[in-house]
Amino acid sequence: MEQINKINGKSVALSSFLDLDSKVLISDESVIYLKNTTDVSGDSEITFELDVNAKLDLTIFDFSLAATAHQNLNFNLQENSSLKMVYVCLNSGTTKNQITANLNGQQAQADINVISVANHGVNTEFDVVCNNNAPFTNGNITQRAVALSGGQNIFNATGYIGKDCSKAVNFQESRVLLLDGAAKGDASPILLINHHDVEAGHAAGVSRVNDDEMYYLMSRGIDRKSAEQLMTVAFIRPVVDKITDLDLRESVFDKIREKASYEID
């Protein structure tokens, strides 16, 4: 299979991380939809180089059936370039994902969004790093996960602002919702700030489903599994709504509802 190493001003639909070369140049305004459904365990590492003024809109649907997988995604952004990424992780095994955005040129912007739903037998970890390496750069990390039936989700987020990076912005939010007592989750925020004239902040939390909200829904004739589906969709909707394509957005909601309805036999 021929791998893609340059994407220039067009929309591209891909079927696997293997479709991309280890280094991909983005030199214009580009849109990529990547749907990963492989059942082969292994590691992959891809670096996206965003040229000056380049814009990348990247949506990843990770429906991997592999027992184990490790994805390492790197983004190097030059002056006035921008990245918007939505990563939807609905995998079936153990996955570790490393995402690093380096804002190397002034006015570079990165908006990184992660969604994960982990049910029985699924262990997912995301380590997301945003490095403000130049002044007037803007980085944002938003992560939402739902875990149920013994599934586990771990979020680590790190924001770094260099010592010469005045007017830099770096914010992060990581939240995990546990639908039952068997589910596990963690959210760990880190901010490393080396300049006084910046804006930065973080929010992180792991919470269990609200009993009062569950009671309210079930008292109106909604069974528990349907109530959990409603809560899951409401919890992750702010991130899913960032997917530009409306049909793809609805298909993601359908997949998430299916994942959240899982029951152990």
Side-chain angles (χ1 to χ4, degrees):
M1 181 188 340
E2 182 179 356
Q3 292 179 311
I4 299 173
N5 59 23
K6 185 174 182 180
I7 297 176
N8 184 10
K10 59 183 178 180
S11 178
V12 179
L14 305 172
S15 59
S16 169
F17 288 106
L18 299 176
D19 285 346
L20 289 167
D21 203 351
S22 59
K23 183 173 289 188
V24 180
L25 175 64
I26 306 294
S27 57
D28 208 322
E29 186 169 349
S30 302
V31 178
I32 300 175
Y33 301 105
L34 193 159
K35 184 177 180 181
N36 184 47
T37 58
T38 183
D39 59 358
V40 179
S41 296
D43 299 346
S44 64
E45 180 166 2
I46 302 169
T47 298
F48 293 86
E49 300 285 350
L50 276 69
D51 207 349
V52 174
N53 298 321
K55 301 185 188 312
L56 174 59
D57 186 341
L58 173 63
T59 306
I60 297 175
F61 308 103
D62 192 356
F63 305 142
S64 171
L65 302 174
T68 60
H70 179 198
Q71 269 78 245
N72 193 342
L73 300 176
N74 304 299
F75 302 89
N76 296 320
L77 286 75
Q78 302 307 317
E79 183 178 353
N80 202 39
S81 63
S82 67
L83 164 69
K84 186 184 85 169
M85 182 180 74
V86 180
Y87 195 127
V88 181
C89 187
L90 302 176
N91 60 299
S92 299
T94 298
T95 304
K96 183 171 183 179
N97 303 279
Q98 176 76 40
I99 301 171
T100 303
N102 296 305
L103 310 183
N104 297 327
Q106 293 192 30
Q107 306 296 335
Q109 301 180 49
D111 183 21
I112 300 170
N113 303 276
V114 175
I115 302 161
S116 176
V117 180
N119 55 20
H120 182 68
V122 177
N123 296 283
T124 302
E125 180 177 351
F126 276 89
D127 294 317
V128 183
V129 179
C130 185
N131 296 315
N132 295 71
N133 298 324
F136 301 98
T137 50
N138 192 319
N140 183 71
I141 301 170
T142 304
Q143 302 185 99
R144 293 285 178 100
V146 176
L148 69 154
S149 302
Q152 177 175 285
N153 199 97
I154 297 173
F155 281 149
N156 301 307
T158 302
Y160 168 82
I161 298 179
K163 64 180 181 179
D164 297 321
C165 300
S166 62
K167 306 299 181 183
V169 177
N170 193 308
F171 286 97
Q172 56 178 269
E173 178 184 357
S174 301
R175 301 195 183 276
V176 181
L177 177 65
L178 308 179
L179 293 185
D180 54 52
K184 298 179 182 180
D186 188 35
S188 300
I190 298 174
L191 281 175
L192 304 172
I193 311 298
N194 296 301
H195 198 287
H196 68 282
D197 187 18
V198 300
E199 294 182 48
H202 63 72
V206 178
S207 60
R208 298 201 177 275
V209 65
N210 187 294
D211 290 336
D212 291 337
E213 292 177 356
M214 181 63 71
Y215 175 79
Y216 176 85
L217 291 171
M218 294 182 69
S219 69
R220 273 136 183 86
I222 300 174
D223 63 85
R224 185 175 183 88
K225 274 300 167 187
S226 296
E228 289 176 350
Q229 287 182 346
L230 288 172
M231 288 183 174
T232 297
V233 169
F235 185 73
I236 53 84
R237 178 176 287 277
V239 182
V240 177
D241 282 347
K242 292 188 178 184
I243 298 175
T244 306
D245 189 289
L246 295 179
D247 291 335
L248 289 175
R249 188 188 303 171
E250 287 307 311
S251 69
V252 168
F253 279 128
D254 289 341
K255 289 281 189 180
I256 288 172
R257 293 186 189 98
E258 178 183 342
K259 195 86 169 177
S261 66
Y262 181 89
E263 291 186 272
I264 300 176
D265 295 333

